[in-house]
Amino acid sequence: MKKNTLLYSFIAMLMLLVANGCTPDEYSLGEKDYSQEQLAEGSAYTIEHDASNPNIVYVKSLVPSSYQVLWESPQGRTQGSDLTLKIPFAGNYKVRMGVQTRGGIVYGPETTFTIDNFYAGFIDDPLWNTLTGGVGNSKKWYLDVDETSTCRYFAGPMYFYGTADNWNSVMLGEKIGGDSWNWSADWAGNGSWLFGSTGAMDYGYMEFGLSGNATVKVVDNAVGKTYNGTFQLNTEKHTISMTDAPVLHDPSHDAIVTKWGEARILSMDNDHLQLAVLRDNSSEGPCLLSFNFISEDYKKNWTPKK
């Protein structure tokens, strides 16, 4: 009888442990489903300007901590209950909130907030200067391949990286956890399929400027279009968000990337730039596609090795 009692107690304990073990997973999806209207500013989150520096904007979630919160902002997509935006240029900007519910991710309506004045302190950073040439200037970056199949600095105009790779793993050469790997696809051995039907050509350039605003011009020779937009640079996360203009790329990869305006800066110095977009719509699975650029000065002054 004593053995049976012990057995029943042990079984009850196991059931309790199993029940408790399942609770966090269920709880992390939230206790109810939100509608789009319920995720509006004022009811689901707040937007406040810093009292000392209005160019700093605090976005704070009001939903229970059991929900995973996502944000779409002028500085790209991010996760977390709170969001701090540092925006140097005056203008109207948009943000919206999403939450992971039992029915999937639900996004609320966009909210517009205004930055009234320019604040130079946020662009007094080497990354801004290297990308644009500094305040009042602009700088052109060419995709590193031309009509003669010549790549001047990189082995090819597009490399492949893991989804976890970033500035630390590429520019700084640090070992990081997660999905981190690299294939530096050379044009000589892979150009016949790497850029599809367009092959070797002068694909054009991107021009980043700091004259009155952070502007970007993309001259896309492959499709015969010129885009004029703006961009936001996050110097802490080494990311760039472009509005009304995509990262310059070949047309064969159009369909397998859904966010051509959001990129990670994997590496950058005065003459070389790697911008990576997430391949998120491919049967081959997600990875980073790094488009490799050289500066206009580097391209003009480059001479072949003998």
Side-chain angles (χ1 to χ4, degrees):
M1 183 70 176
K2 184 176 181 181
K3 289 183 179 180
N4 289 339
T5 301
L6 290 173
L7 178 60
Y8 295 149
S9 298
F10 180 72
I11 292 174
M13 184 180 297
L14 282 177
M15 293 177 64
L16 182 61
L17 288 172
V18 170
N20 288 338
C22 293
T23 301
D25 290 338
E26 296 171 355
Y27 190 63
S28 66
L29 295 179
E31 299 165 343
K32 65 175 184 178
D33 288 338
Y34 275 95
S35 66
Q36 182 179 17
E37 293 75 18
Q38 290 174 309
L39 296 178
E41 188 263 337
S43 57
Y45 63 96
T46 59
I47 299 176
E48 295 182 359
H49 293 258
D50 185 86
S52 301
N53 185 347
N55 290 65
I56 301 176
V57 179
Y58 304 111
V59 186
K60 296 185 177 181
S61 168
L62 299 177
V63 304
S65 59
S66 55
Y67 289 91
Q68 181 184 30
V69 176
L70 305 94
W71 302 100
E72 290 186 353
S73 78
Q75 296 181 342
R77 292 190 173 201
T78 189
Q79 296 181 8
S81 59
D82 298 336
L83 179 64
T84 299
L85 301 173
K86 297 179 179 180
I87 301 178
F89 295 97
N92 295 320
Y93 299 91
K94 294 180 179 181
V95 66
R96 71 169 180 162
M97 178 192 205
V99 297
Q100 177 73 56
T101 73
R102 295 175 300 181
I105 298 175
V106 178
Y107 279 98
E110 289 184 325
T111 298
T112 300
F113 63 91
T114 301
I115 300 295
D116 292 323
N117 300 299
F118 168 68
Y119 179 67
F122 289 156
I123 59 173
D124 185 19
D125 184 279
L127 253 64
W128 283 95
N129 294 329
T130 303
L131 182 68
T132 66
V135 176
N137 297 313
S138 65
K139 188 171 179 179
K140 292 180 180 178
W141 296 91
Y142 287 81
L143 197 61
D144 192 11
V145 68
D146 65 16
E147 64 278 5
T148 68
S149 295
T150 300
C151 299
R152 289 165 170 78
Y153 178 78
F154 296 95
M158 189 180 76
Y159 292 170
F160 298 80
Y161 288 89
T163 56
D165 280 299
N166 53 30
W167 177 270
N168 291 348
S169 62
V170 180
M171 184 67 181
L172 303 183
E174 298 176 355
K175 291 185 178 181
I176 63 172
D179 182 31
S180 175
W181 52 271
N182 163 240
W183 177 35
S184 300
D186 67 285
W187 185 260
N190 301 282
S192 60
W193 67 267
L194 196 64
F195 273 9
S197 59
T198 49
M201 64 173 289
D202 175 9
Y203 281 87
Y205 63 87
M206 298 186 297
E207 183 174 8
F208 294 94
L210 283 180
S211 297
N213 200 349
T215 61
V216 58
K217 177 181 179 181
V218 178
V219 176
D220 188 338
N221 292 336
V223 296
K225 290 184 178 180
T226 297
Y227 304 88
N228 290 285
T230 58
F231 73 94
Q232 289 286 327
L233 185 63
N234 189 320
T235 58
E236 296 174 358
K237 296 183 178 180
H238 295 91
T239 59
I240 186 170
S241 296
M242 300 163 57
T243 302
D244 297 327
V247 171
L248 181 63
H249 62 281
D250 67 296
S252 66
H253 289 91
D254 276 347
I256 62 175
V257 174
T258 63
K259 298 290 181 181
W260 282 107
E262 296 183 10
R264 300 181 199 178
I265 304 174
L266 296 184
S267 72
M268 180 170 62
D269 59 26
N270 285 330
D271 291 317
H272 319 107
L273 170 65
Q274 290 181 276
L275 292 182
V277 295
L278 179 64
R279 184 183 72 185
D280 58 354
N281 191 37
S282 169
S283 59
E284 297 180 271
C287 76
L288 294 181
L289 305 180
S290 170
F291 290 88
N292 304 327
F293 299 88
I294 53 175
S295 69
E296 182 179 36
D297 285 344
Y298 185 89
K299 182 177 182 178
K300 286 182 176 180
N301 296 312
W302 177 83
T303 55
K305 292 181 180 180
K306 295 182 179 179

